[in-house]
């Protein structure tokens, strides 16, 4: 997906960290409560320090939906900003500081592929009994498809509740784009590998036989997060060997063989809550993005918080949002110019809102 971010003016690229801080502070003060800055947990420190609200993708969607600010600057990735635009009123504007901040997982399911899969599945089973569920990490077009076909959005913090809702309405789910979140949640609900098939959008009929589609309860889209897929059972074993009394907590985008040997699994917000609540002296190995892990370690000097992966694993697209881009956005807003506005066309937004609202109502 091509989203071109024009180079920033020199004023921002050559400014010192202190000068950028002063620009952001002054613009924020001028805009007052007309501006809301939202920050995902994976954002850099130089960005997150300005967030009026931080959270996982579910919490940030709620903040956006409840906000009355004229301008919402979303320090996160493109699908989050799109969801914020869908959940805010037409009078509100959502800004993404760098247009190249996408999500490689969200890009793994495009509308044509999903429509093709749906049609193919309809050829072998009663599609009225198939409920499409999309992870928040997907485009507005995919959320709209789901809204139109009786499904809902889920995030890593409510996938189980949303799937329980889906199984009260149908016999099967088509879950996209993250196979791991779908599989991990299915196992958590008591299903096993025999109930699941992986739909590969790059192969004829998903690489499956008719019987697979008929037998499966979960049709899991073959998508993944390149950051979380790096964590392996060996990382967990190495952590346990070094810290026999330590606790392992991982994000549900990790592969099932990692999740099943972890002590805890949860969204970024749940990981944060777990570390916050752990007693002093705790040793915690975390399987998620490195900026969040480093901030948890810095914020809890009385605990040992380490990444399970000794090699750095940043989310390169979250990393694109930095102090220069944030300063440029808020200074532009302060002088009445809206840059990098994210808008979803009205028809797509209306259908996507149905799927997002179902999630908000379920949870
Ligand atoms: P959370 O909803 O847990 O914050 O996850 C979003 C995400 O993109 C994780 O990779
Ligand atoms: Fe997407 Fe993975 Fe980055 Fe999350 S960590 S935004 S799923 S690429």
């Amino acid at each position: 997906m091509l989203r071109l971010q024009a180079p920033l003016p020199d004023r921002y690229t050559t400014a010192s960290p202190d000068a950028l801080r002063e620009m952001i502070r002054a613009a924020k003060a001028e805009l007052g409560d007309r501006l809301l800055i939202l920050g995902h947990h994976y954002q850099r420190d130089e960005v997150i320090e300005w967030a009026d609200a931080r959270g996982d993708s579910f919490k940030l969607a709620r903040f956006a939906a409840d906000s009355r600010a004229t301008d919402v600057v979303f320090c996160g990735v493109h699908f989050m900003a799109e969801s914020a635009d869908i959940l805010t009123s037409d009078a509100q504007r959502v800004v993404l500081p760098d247009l190249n901040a996408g999500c490689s997982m969200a890009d793994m399911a495009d509308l044509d592929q999903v429509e093709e899969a749906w049609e193919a599945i309809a050829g072998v089973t009663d599609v009225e009994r198939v409920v499409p569920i999309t992870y928040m990490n997907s485009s507005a077009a995919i959320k709209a498809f789901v809204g139109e076909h009786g499904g809902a959005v889920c995030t890593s913090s409510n996938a189980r509740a949303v799937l329980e809702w889906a199984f009260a309405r149908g016999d099967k789910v088509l879950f996209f784009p993250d196979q791991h979140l779908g599989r991990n949640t299915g196992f958590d609900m008591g299903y096993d590998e025999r109930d699941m098939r992986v739909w590969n959008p790059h192969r004829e009929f998903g690489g499956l036989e008719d019987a697979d589609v008929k037998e499966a309860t979960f049709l899991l889209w073959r998508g993944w997060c390149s950051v979380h897929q790096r964590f392996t059972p060996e990382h967990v074993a190495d952590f346990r060997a070094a810290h026999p009394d330590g606790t392992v907590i991982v994000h549900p985008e990790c592969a099932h063989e990692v999740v099943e040997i972890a002590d805890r699994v949860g969204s970024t917000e749940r990981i944060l809550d777990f570390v916050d609540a752990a007693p002093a002296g705790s040793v915690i190995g975390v399987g998620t993005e490195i900026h969040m892990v480093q901030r948890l370690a810095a914020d809890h000097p009385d605990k040992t918080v380490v990444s399970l992966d000794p090699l750095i694993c940043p989310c390169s697209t979250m990393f694109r949002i930095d102090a220069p881009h944030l300063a440029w956005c808020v200074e532009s807003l302060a002088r009445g110019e809206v840059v990098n506005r994210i808008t979803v066309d009205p028809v797509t937004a209306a259908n996507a809102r149905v799927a997002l609202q179902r999630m908000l109502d379920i949870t």
Side-chain angles (χ1 to χ4, degrees):
M1 211 161 285
L2 192 64
R3 296 180 198 102
L4 279 185
Q5 177 63 54
L8 294 184
D10 290 350
R11 168 176 169 73
Y12 302 102
T13 53
T14 58
S16 68
D18 282 347
L20 289 166
R21 200 170 276 124
E22 181 47 29
M23 289 178 206
I24 299 169
R25 189 206 59 73
K28 219 174 168 255
E30 192 176 332
L31 288 161
D33 57 15
R34 283 176 287 153
L35 172 69
L36 174 72
I37 301 182
L38 296 177
H40 186 267
H41 292 308
Y42 293 165
Q43 291 291 298
R44 305 160 179 241
D45 288 346
E46 71 191 43
V47 170
I48 205 82
E49 70 174 284
W50 299 106
D52 299 303
R54 305 177 185 191
D56 61 8
S57 53
F58 178 69
K59 199 168 165 186
L60 293 175
R62 272 225 186 276
F63 279 125
D66 295 343
S67 155
R68 296 288 161 266
T70 315
D71 292 303
V72 177
V73 173
F74 210 119
C75 298
V77 287
H78 192 265
F79 71 81
M80 297 180 181
E82 274 190 334
S83 298
D85 180 55
I86 293 163
L87 291 169
T88 48
S89 72
D90 291 348
Q92 293 172 289
R93 305 173 297 200
V94 176
V95 164
L96 180 66
D98 185 325
L99 294 179
N100 285 336
C103 164
S104 53
M105 178 208 281
D107 291 345
M108 287 177 189
D110 71 34
L111 185 59
D112 288 347
Q113 291 172 321
V114 169
E115 284 177 339
E116 232 172 75
W118 191 254
E119 212 174 290
I121 292 165
V124 295
T125 191
D126 177 8
V127 87
E128 293 294 318
R129 303 293 302 159
V130 182
V131 183
I133 300 294
T134 187
Y135 189 22
M136 182 68 118
N137 301 30
S138 58
S139 68
I142 297 287
K143 292 184 177 83
F145 174 92
V146 166
E148 276 184 281
H149 291 82
V153 174
C154 75
T155 72
S156 55
S157 65
N158 57 32
R160 182 172 176 151
V162 172
L163 284 175
E164 282 167 354
W165 172 91
F167 287 125
R169 269 148 199 82
D171 307 321
K172 297 179 195 297
V173 295
L174 173 62
F175 188 98
F176 36 79
D178 187 20
Q179 59 175 306
H180 299 297
L181 179 65
R183 183 178 295 110
N184 288 323
T185 312
F187 271 95
D188 185 45
M189 294 168 76
Y191 295 93
D192 66 32
E193 204 64 61
R194 286 167 302 180
D195 303 310
M196 304 178 193
R197 300 290 187 283
V198 175
W199 182 276
N200 182 345
H202 302 292
R203 294 186 54 192
E204 185 83 15
F205 198 64
L208 299 176
E209 302 293 332
D210 291 6
D212 291 312
V213 170
K214 288 190 175 117
E215 284 163 20
T217 306
F218 289 78
L219 289 165
L220 304 172
W221 197 263
R222 192 171 178 277
W224 65 87
C225 165
S226 47
V227 175
H228 289 91
Q229 201 160 272
R230 286 177 54 97
F231 294 102
T232 62
E234 289 70 40
H235 288 136
V236 178
D238 291 349
F239 172 83
R240 294 208 192 280
H243 308 284
D245 297 325
T247 304
V248 172
I249 183 162
V250 301
H251 195 277
E253 288 174 14
C254 293
H256 186 62
E257 59 265 31
V258 174
V259 168
E260 69 182 344
I261 57 171
D263 302 300
R264 302 288 181 113
V265 57
S267 73
T268 55
E269 190 73 16
R270 290 209 187 136
I271 293 173
L272 181 125
D273 288 347
F274 177 77
V275 174
D276 278 350
S282 299
V283 181
I284 306 165
V286 184
T288 198
E289 204 271 346
I290 193 67
H291 289 89
M292 176 169 177
V293 181
Q294 286 172 340
R295 187 154 49 244
L296 286 172
D299 289 348
H300 297 89
D302 57 332
K303 305 167 197 176
T304 303
V305 182
V306 296
S307 171
L308 287 176
D309 183 352
L311 302 171
I312 293 274
C313 52
C315 172
S316 57
T317 46
M318 287 273 184
F319 192 65
R320 299 193 78 101
I321 313 288
D322 55 10
H325 285 86
L326 179 58
W328 171 64
C329 283
V330 292
E331 281 205 331
S332 302
L333 288 172
R335 57 168 191 275
E337 191 191 338
V338 186
V339 292
N340 283 12
R341 183 171 178 187
I342 302 298
T343 48
V344 177
D345 74 80
V347 176
T348 304
N351 289 323
R353 196 174 299 115
V354 170
L356 280 162
Q357 194 57 50
R358 283 187 186 128
M359 171 188 78
L360 295 173
D361 294 344
I362 294 163
T363 49

